[in-house]
Amino acid sequence: MTKCKLEYIWLDGYQPTQTLRSKTKIEDDFSGKVEDAKVWSFDGSSTQQATGGKSDLLLKPVKVVPDPARLGTGFLVMCEVLNPDNTPHKSNGRSTIMDDDGDFWFGFEQEYTLWDPETQKPLGFPSDGYPAPQGPYYCSVGTGRAVGRDLIEEHMELCLEAGLNLEGINAEVMKGQWEFQIFAKGAKDAGDQIWLARYLLDRCGEKYGIEINYHCKPVKGDWNGSGMHANFSNTLLRTCGSQEVYEAVCKAFEPRIKEHIDVYGADNNQRLTGLHETQSIDMFSYGVSDRGASIRIPIFTVEHGWKGWLEDRRPASNADPYMVASAIIATVKNAKLPVGV
């Protein structure tokens, strides 16, 4: 019999930002299929999800991929947290997504900062003071500009070996800041893949002794914050061919600023200031190719006859992709479309 190592991964109950937890289950000859992964349990009183008197919560597997970071046969098992009666736990953002038919497609641009635990600054920052102003670091190459590439490249390879739909990586505007992109057809799957990619990134950080900082404004002052831009479409946006429809969908977001900001990540007021390619947190705007807008209409969409996608630029790097997708889907579904659409 082949001994298989299944790493069960879930989100804890910490607020305002949940973090990942995981533990290993050894199984004989596991098939690698999610339907064959058993429901497991854990101590919710140790993750701020239950009290000591009623501490057992359930882990329901929702996605299984190979674990490329372990010797032998290993799998990463992304899980939802359920109450003992099999209802979704209040910390379970995935259960709020109303996209059972997978009509919504999401592409998340996950920014983050490599963080030096000794200096408590981004990797590449001097222990005293700051590096040269940002400008040369975006998509940079070369010593003194791009830092931490060994970790970044290893993470990319792990994601691809695990079968995640990683679509690209790049160095970002602030020194020590990077980004990866994940695309999936179906909001739940997109969220699953972002969390699994974050898990692999955290594991790479352990190996290199580097922290992964998801805070949306890790360095105050004239430095870019970190976001998780959400590119999204459904059949309507992919096929309508109508500027009027696109504008109606964009306008549906304006009266729901609070509903979105509430789930777009902690401390986002530090990032959404109207500077550094952002719109102010209490304002809403949209525009073609406008990276200072709340929602950008990509030029690709316009040039292809108003058939494509939209980009919500407000989600922070520390946001839960499940909750981001859930809010976007609810708003799009309630848009007041032109008569006849």
Side-chain angles (χ1 to χ4, degrees), residues 101-265:
D101 58 0
D103 183 48
F104 279 83
W105 300 356
F106 278 86
F108 287 109
E109 302 174 34
Q110 176 69 68
E111 295 178 338
Y112 57 93
T113 304
L114 300 180
W115 199 255
D116 188 328
E118 294 185 2
T119 65
Q120 285 301 298
K121 291 184 175 184
L123 193 68
F125 273 47
S127 56
D128 295 316
Y130 298 91
Q134 58 187 27
Y137 310 120
Y138 173 70
C139 294
S140 60
V141 178
T143 301
R145 293 184 296 275
V147 295
R149 192 179 294 277
D150 287 349
L151 185 157
I152 300 303
E153 292 284 326
E154 183 168 332
H155 173 249
M156 177 179 67
E157 294 299 335
L158 290 173
C159 286
L160 294 175
E161 290 178 39
L164 302 182
N165 195 34
L166 186 96
E167 295 220 317
I169 62 170
N170 60 270
E172 266 301 334
V173 176
M174 185 177 70
K175 191 172 189 178
Q177 184 185 47
W178 291 79
E179 173 184 299
F180 65 83
Q181 303 97 35
I182 291 280
F183 169 78
K185 296 179 179 180
K188 291 180 179 179
D189 190 36
D192 295 341
Q193 293 199 46
I194 281 287
W195 280 116
L196 288 168
R198 285 182 180 180
Y199 173 82
L200 288 170
L201 185 58
D202 287 341
R203 287 287 297 268
C204 281
E206 289 180 22
K207 177 179 176 179
Y208 287 89
I210 295 172
E211 295 177 17
I212 308 302
N213 190 327
Y214 294 102
H215 193 275
C216 62
K217 190 70 174 180
V219 181
K220 306 300 186 289
D222 193 20
W223 300 92
N224 272 34
S226 294
M228 187 181 64
H229 302 156
N231 298 274
F232 62 93
S233 71
N234 62 351
T235 297
L236 173 71
L237 294 173
R238 292 190 292 270
T239 63
C240 69
S242 167
Q243 179 177 351
E244 191 178 6
V245 167
Y246 265 83
E247 291 184 347
V249 171
C250 288
K251 289 175 182 177
F253 284 79
E254 186 165 11
R256 291 173 55 85
I257 293 175
K258 184 179 186 303
E259 287 86 346
H260 285 267
I261 295 301
D262 282 351
V263 297
Y264 276 12

Side-chain angles (χ1 to χ4, degrees), residues 258-278:
K258 184 179 186 303
E259 287 86 346
H260 285 267
I261 295 301
D262 282 351
V263 297
Y264 276 12
D267 301 321
N268 214 4
N269 60 304
Q270 298 177 23
R271 169 179 163 263
L272 298 180
T273 62
L275 302 173
H276 303 109
E277 301 180 300
T278 71

